[in-house]
Amino acid sequence: MFEFIATYAPQLIVAGIKYTVPLALISFVFAVIIAALVAVLRSYVPHATGIKSIGWRILKFILWFYVWLFRSTPMLVQLFVVFYGLPKLGISWLSPSGWAAAVWVLSLNTAAYASEAIRAAITSIPDTQREAGAALGMTDAQIFIRIILPQAARISIPTLANSFISLVKDTSLASVVTIVEMFYLSQQLAATNFEPLQMYLLVAAIYAIFVSILSIPQHYIQRWADRFVKVQG
Amino acid sequence: MLKLEHIDKQYAEHHALKDINVTFNPHETTVIVGPSGSGKSTLLRSLNLLEHPDSGLYTIDDRTIDLSQPVTTDTLLWVRRKTGMVFQQPRMFDHLTILGNIIEAPVHVLKQKKADATKKAHELLQAVDLDNTADRYPYQLSGGQTQRVAIARALAMEPDYLLLDEPTSALDPELEAQVLRVLNGLAKEDQSMIIVTHNMEFAREAADRMLFLEDGEIVFDGTPAEFFSEPTDRIKHFLNAFKFEN
Ligand SMILES: Nc1ncnc2c1ncn2[C@@H]1O[C@H](COP(=O)(O)OP(=O)(O)OP(=O)(O)O)[C@@H](O)[C@H]1O
Ligand SMILES: [Mg+2]
């Protein structure tokens, strides 16, 4: 048992550090940026003027369609479409490598879910906050950026943390676009040592350790964000 | 001077303001009273355009706004700078400290230097007896304290008129007294104020002028002396509702 771990764990951990962790971190950064933009554009309602132009509506529709598309199709299928399908249309600049395809799909997919969480958080800030800002002469944009978003950000943290955990685990799908990340490596090893049970339990344990370590910052971020609310209990 | 002429506001099911004509003079404290649903909040909120009346003319100083037309953002922001608002609930910005709450608009709306705004904020906090709370967050203050901060926050914008919608009705009597003392002080300093309140004692003490609203109409406009000593039958009935002995 110990020997098994000593033989295989180091390779798996190296694969994790080389692929799983950077894939998850890079995709998460993109995902949060995309999610925030999508959420802001989808929930921003200027009260003073009320943008009702056709361009605005088309943009809102496109964003809705993006979120709908990525949430209602399997990520595995999305990876295949982007990596194997789109180049057939001549759109190979989008996914010049397995890495690019994986980052695209992982971030767009995560962002689709996260944008809904951020949007819900924005909506949950009571309208009285907007009115209080308006009464002080603040513009709609100022109210949104300076009053609503900081409070919504705090509320979004737990859901974003969940998205991140899912993302770390979803990196295992990158094996289908030729990235030899932890899970793919464990499959290859299991095929040679004929110990699938031990092999997959070991890789599961290593995923769990990675997720746990990567989740540590959440605690500190949450504590910082909670500085302005009464701590329960 | 704030002047409303022929102001009308119709909600789906309710005619909230009916042909309101009234002028608020500078340096006066006007107290608005009236039964629940009579349109007091609607009137006050119309004064800083949180509510947009359907029609009528609104004159501030020498600028007249035709309310039957949409107002531009510039006009809206200009009106809001002339009129500060304090709500029934303090509506603090929870993510900002007390100091942060007060300097937010002076720094970002009036573009004051942060140091200047901070200095002014400390003076205002001193005036409402809360300077020691500057670095705390709103959740760490009591309701009466946050309401005094809300008054300081509105005053930091140096509005010509301070509008207050039942600023004490969410407070215990003791906390209410703290807030009313602050307002009474402002009245003595000739800050122009328009206050909706159910506190008759405060009205008697601080008001220069009283308005009685009923069913979307101003049915009394006069001095507190007239209001309390020579009340009409309707006002007598209204005032009796505040007494609990039979
Ligand atoms: N946004 C709204 N939509 C529909 N009706 C409204 C709205 N706001 C107020 N009303 C109605 O307009 C009338 C006047 O409301 P307003 O809030 O001005 O009364 P008020 O005198 O401030 O009462 P209170 O003393 O209870 O605060 C009420 O009948 C109310 O139901
Ligand atoms: Mg009211």
Side-chain angles (χ1 to χ4, degrees):
Chain A
M1 172 71 179
F2 178 75
E3 207 186 303
F4 185 86
I5 296 175
T7 314
Y8 295 109
Q11 311 175 42
L12 289 171
I13 290 171
V14 167
I17 291 171
K18 269 172 79 179
Y19 300 107
T20 305
V21 174
L23 208 49
L25 288 179
I26 293 170
S27 304
F28 190 64
V29 169
F30 281 125
V32 170
I33 294 170
I34 297 167
L37 280 174
V38 171
V40 164
L41 288 170
R42 289 191 71 193
S43 51
Y44 181 61
V45 182
H47 280 260
T49 46
I51 298 177
K52 291 195 183 79
S53 72
I54 187 84
W56 186 251
R57 281 185 203 191
I58 292 173
L59 178 66
K60 289 218 169 189
F61 174 77
I62 292 172
L63 295 176
W64 170 84
F65 181 76
Y66 148 66
V67 172
W68 171 80
L69 187 67
F70 274 83
R71 287 176 72 200
S72 42
T73 55
M75 179 135 62
L76 196 55
V77 176
Q78 295 162 14
L79 276 166
F80 272 86
V81 169
V82 171
F83 188 66
Y84 299 105
L86 292 185
K88 291 274 178 291
L89 282 175
I91 317 183
S92 51
W93 50 268
L94 205 65
S95 46
S97 65
W99 262 91
V103 169
W104 267 115
V105 170
L106 286 169
S107 27
L108 283 173
N109 189 288
T110 305
Y113 288 93
S115 75
E116 290 291 270
I118 297 174
R119 204 159 69 100
I122 290 171
T123 320
S124 76
I125 306 300
D127 196 49
T128 51
Q129 290 282 308
R130 183 191 65 76
E131 277 196 353
L136 288 166
M138 298 174 79
T139 62
D140 286 330
Q142 283 175 326
I143 293 167
F144 198 73
I145 293 166
R146 305 198 47 86
I147 307 298
I148 310 288
L149 276 188
Q151 299 186 54
R154 184 188 75 80
I155 298 172
S156 317
I157 290 172
T159 331
L160 290 180
N162 268 337
S163 297
F164 179 64
I165 289 173
S166 300
L167 177 57
V168 174
K169 295 180 290 183
D170 288 341
T171 56
S172 60
L173 293 172
S175 58
V176 303
V177 290
T178 71
I179 297 178
V180 191
E181 45 64 63
M182 268 197 316
F183 178 59
Y184 195 19
L185 180 62
S186 71
Q187 282 177 297
Q188 291 177 339
L189 295 172
T192 54
N193 66 16
F194 305 109
E195 294 278 12
L197 178 63
Q198 289 185 44
M199 200 62 223
Y200 294 133
L201 283 178
L202 177 63
V203 78
I206 294 175
Y207 269 111
I209 291 167
F210 270 101
V211 166
S212 304
I213 293 172
L214 288 169
S215 300
I216 292 173
Q218 185 204 347
H219 170 73
Y220 294 96
I221 294 170
Q222 187 79 58
R223 204 167 65 178
W224 174 79
D226 282 348
R227 71 199 178 284
F228 57 80
V229 293
K230 197 176 264 164
V231 180
Q232 306 293 317
Chain B
M1 177 208 59
L2 302 184
K3 185 173 175 189
L4 295 176
E5 291 166 276
H6 306 299
I7 297 295
D8 242 73
K9 176 72 186 177
Q10 174 86 44
Y11 291 116
E13 310 250 290
H14 194 86
H15 202 166
L17 296 177
K18 298 171 186 162
D19 193 24
I20 297 284
N21 292 280
V22 63
T23 301
F24 299 97
N25 298 313
H27 311 304
E28 273 187 8
T29 299
T30 304
V31 166
I32 303 178
V33 298
S36 181
S38 56
K40 305 182 296 294
S41 299
T42 309
L43 176 61
L44 210 59
R45 290 164 58 83
S46 298
L47 286 171
N48 75 343
L49 296 185
L50 279 179
E51 215 68 67
H52 190 116
D54 304 324
S55 60
L57 297 178
Y58 182 13
T59 306
I60 302 181
D61 300 338
D62 46 14
R63 184 158 159 188
T64 298
I65 304 159
D66 181 355
L67 293 170
S68 59
Q69 306 297 320
V71 293
T72 63
T73 308
D74 281 348
T75 307
L76 198 64
L77 297 180
W78 180 76
V79 170
R80 301 238 168 99
R81 276 175 218 179
K82 290 276 175 184
T83 54
M85 182 81 154
V86 175
F87 303 90
Q88 183 171 352
Q89 305 289 340
R91 302 194 184 183
M92 289 288 105
F93 303 133
D94 289 336
H95 61 301
L96 300 175
T97 60
I98 298 305
L99 181 68
N101 265 274
I102 296 178
I103 66 172
E104 176 67 25
V107 170
H108 293 99
V109 176
L110 300 180
K111 312 290 178 200
Q112 289 177 4
K113 285 207 195 71
K114 201 167 170 187
D116 297 343
T118 303
K119 188 163 162 282
K120 177 86 194 296
H122 282 297
E123 287 168 17
L124 285 165
L125 280 172
Q126 245 153 28
V128 296
D129 206 15
L130 286 171
D131 202 25
N132 56 337
T133 65
D135 297 325
R136 291 198 221 157
Y137 283 98
Y139 81 89
Q140 295 167 307
L141 268 61
S142 75
Q145 289 174 321
T146 37
Q147 194 59 297
R148 282 182 280 155
V149 174
I151 294 170
R153 182 173 73 176
L155 288 174
M157 293 298 285
E158 302 184 355
D160 291 352
Y161 286 79
L162 188 61
L163 316 174
L164 303 105
D165 191 359
E166 304 196 32
T168 62
S169 42
L171 301 176
D172 292 341
E174 203 183 324
L175 300 177
E176 173 172 28
Q178 295 173 354
V179 174
L180 292 179
R181 265 197 293 280
V182 168
L183 295 181
N184 202 17
L186 289 172
K188 296 245 150 62
E189 288 164 27
D190 285 345
Q191 164 75 43
S192 316
M193 286 192 289
I194 304 168
I195 310 178
V196 173
T197 180
H198 290 301
N199 191 308
M200 292 303 142
E201 220 165 319
F202 175 77
R204 207 190 284 266
E205 165 70 25
D208 298 306
R209 178 176 174 202
M210 302 232 6
L211 297 182
F212 183 73
L213 227 67
E214 180 160 49
D215 217 1
E217 290 176 290
I218 296 174
V219 295
F220 174 91
D221 181 352
T223 64
E226 289 164 347
F227 186 82
F228 290 108
S229 52
E230 314 149 24
T232 61
D233 284 349
R234 177 62 191 103
I235 292 173
K236 222 180 271 169
H237 182 75
F238 175 75
L239 290 173
N240 275 335
F242 288 88
K243 304 202 178 95
F244 49 82
E245 70 267 29
N246 295 316

